[in-house]
Amino acid sequence: MSIEPAELRRRKQGEIISRLALIMTHALQRAYDHSSGPSPALETAMAIRIINLRRNTPASIAQIMQLTGFARTTVRNHIASLLAVSMVIEEAPSRERYSINPEYPGAKIGAPHVRYIVRAIRAAANMLEQDEQ
């Protein structure tokens, strides 16, 4: 099964945005205490999204652990909270495989807040390029 170039581009863009969100969330999580900083479950969600987009498969617990650095129990707890709000769906319950729910509004690359982030990244990249010249 071949994937259309436009779909490959969309997946790559989604992976880039998700990776950036994971890095930023991870950094902020370390800078603030857990009660006032970003949700650690969001790091788990971004890891699942990155795995889904990169491999075109549901994410396993081991893959999520590797990307986030969280312990197995922590990953399972985060997944439970993400399942509770329908942000994540369980693709293969007996094998613990998860995907971002495509119906979850925040998961869409065209969501307004995602477009805002993309514009901010492009602006920052342009400023860095100009600064180097």
Side-chain angles (χ1 to χ4, degrees):
M1 173 177 117
S2 110
I3 300 172
E4 296 292 322
E7 175 64 12
L8 285 174
R9 185 170 187 263
R10 186 196 67 76
R11 286 184 187 180
K12 187 65 175 174
Q13 289 173 338
E15 181 185 340
I16 291 166
I17 297 298
S18 297
R19 180 163 293 282
L20 179 63
L22 175 63
I23 291 167
M24 291 171 57
T25 303
H26 193 72
L28 289 171
Q29 190 64 39
R30 293 338 171 245
Y32 298 101
D33 66 21
H34 293 283
S35 61
S36 64
S39 165
L42 182 58
E43 287 184 61
T44 301
M46 289 299 99
I48 292 169
R49 181 163 169 75
I50 290 166
I51 295 161
N52 293 164
L53 292 167
R54 181 185 300 154
R55 299 175 185 221
N56 196 30
T57 61
S60 70
I61 297 288
Q63 291 168 328
I64 299 165
M65 289 170 53
Q66 183 179 21
L67 205 50
T68 62
F70 293 146
R72 182 176 297 277
T73 303
T74 303
V75 169
R76 284 190 174 131
N77 290 339
H78 293 171
I79 288 172
S81 69
L82 295 168
L83 286 167
V85 296
S86 300
M87 185 174 193
V88 168
I89 54 176
E90 196 166 15
E91 298 280 355
S94 63
R95 294 179 39 228
E96 294 185 312
R97 302 286 177 162
Y98 305 94
S99 294
I100 294 294
N101 183 351
E103 300 302 315
Y104 189 80
K108 297 183 173 48
I109 191 71
H113 67 279
V114 176
R115 288 193 308 265
Y116 176 77
I117 292 169
V118 170
R119 282 194 305 271
I121 292 167
R122 284 184 180 140
N126 286 337
M127 284 187 266
L128 288 170
E129 254 181 37
Q130 291 171 0
D131 191 45
E132 288 180 3
Q133 295 173 357

